Amino acid sequence: MNATVPTTVVEEPPDLATMRETAHRVLGPDSGPDALPPSGDELATLTAALQGHLELLLPEVEQAAGRLPENSVTRYGAMYCVGEARGKLRAPELSFAPLIGSVMYARRLARVLATLCDHYEIVSAGIEMTSEQKAFEHLADHCLRCPTCRAVDDRGMHAGLPCAEESRLYETYRAVRARVSAARLARRHAAEVSP
């Protein structure tokens, strides 16, 4: 008798470095609106690559986010980004000016792909709430409960009274965001430098 040994298929994780590099090529080094985009055939090739990357990454993000608790902030953010990405994939290129419409479409795909890569890293690690989200939650919770922060003037408008605790929490939030952004830029730079 021959016994068959079940084989386990180990899936490779998505190649986020390649996906980010493709997005970066469309967005340009500074990701600004004035950056010169690729044109013609190169733009069409990059757009097709972006669409392919999104189609590969969307189910991965969805599956990883589905393993998080339903009330998880990162799960909600990832699923929202999945919906945005699907909408961008379904949206047609703008036809009012062929090159401009194609560039705008490619840049939209590139921005949502870059964001989806970030979400994948977070949800696949099982992080229910990032440090940035925690810092913002502390700030928002304080502002909702603090009588000084909630104070209104005689017309019912926000009084804008100074609150030391709100200022401290806001600076903490800004510092955390700066660290997260610096780490993200360092990862991108490392990916660009490595062959």
Side-chain angles (χ1 to χ4, degrees), residues 103-165:
V103 169
M104 290 171 68
Y105 180 67
R107 284 185 173 166
R108 287 181 180 138
L109 293 177
R111 283 190 292 271
V112 78
L113 176 62
T115 304
L116 206 58
C117 287
D118 294 340
H119 280 294
Y120 177 77
E121 285 181 327
I122 294 167
V123 297
S124 65
I127 299 171
E128 292 182 33
M129 186 181 289
T130 65
S131 57
E132 186 176 356
Q133 291 165 337
K134 285 179 188 174
F136 183 79
E137 184 179 69
H138 290 304
L139 172 63
D141 187 53
H142 168 78
C143 291
L144 289 172
R145 297 174 191 273
C146 174
T148 305
C149 293
R150 293 180 52 212
V152 294
D153 62 18
D154 56 352
R155 296 177 303 182
M157 303 294 289
H158 184 261
L161 299 175
C163 174
E165 182 65 6

Side-chain angles (χ1 to χ4, degrees), residues 29-194:
D30 59 359
S31 298
D34 297 333
L36 293 175
S39 59
D41 291 339
E42 183 183 11
L43 181 62
T45 301
L46 288 170
T47 300
L50 291 167
Q51 290 167 329
H53 290 327
L54 284 168
E55 288 171 4
L56 286 172
L57 191 56
L58 282 167
E60 296 288 332
V61 172
E62 205 166 29
Q63 184 178 24
R67 290 189 291 267
L68 294 174
E70 286 190 26
N71 63 348
S72 167
V73 174
T74 52
R75 175 186 173 141
Y76 177 80
M79 295 307 282
Y80 182 83
C81 189
V82 164
E84 283 290 309
R86 285 206 169 104
K88 299 226 182 323
L89 279 172
R90 284 191 303 267
E93 291 183 26
L94 302 174
S95 60
F96 61 84
L99 180 58
I100 299 291
S102 297
V103 169
M104 290 171 68
Y105 180 67
R107 284 185 173 166
R108 287 181 180 138
L109 293 177
R111 283 190 292 271
V112 78
L113 176 62
T115 304
L116 206 58
C117 287
D118 294 340
H119 280 294
Y120 177 77
E121 285 181 327
I122 294 167
V123 297
S124 65
I127 299 171
E128 292 182 33
M129 186 181 289
T130 65
S131 57
E132 186 176 356
Q133 291 165 337
K134 285 179 188 174
F136 183 79
E137 184 179 69
H138 290 304
L139 172 63
D141 187 53
H142 168 78
C143 291
L144 289 172
R145 297 174 191 273
C146 174
T148 305
C149 293
R150 293 180 52 212
V152 294
D153 62 18
D154 56 352
R155 296 177 303 182
M157 303 294 289
H158 184 261
L161 299 175
C163 174
E165 182 65 6
E166 185 267 341
S167 294
R168 185 189 69 76
L169 289 169
Y170 181 69
E171 287 306 315
T172 300
Y173 170 65
R174 285 186 52 190
V176 169
R177 282 191 66 192
R179 281 196 306 272
V180 168
S181 293
R184 194 174 291 139
L185 287 173
R187 281 194 310 269
R188 183 184 297 161
H189 179 69
E192 290 171 359
V193 172
S194 65

Side-chain angles (χ1 to χ4, degrees), residues 10-32:
V10 177
E11 288 189 35
E12 290 290 319
D15 185 357
L16 299 181
T18 299
M19 292 179 181
R20 284 187 170 117
E21 174 58 28
T22 305
H24 183 67
R25 286 180 60 196
V26 172
L27 294 172
D30 59 359
S31 298

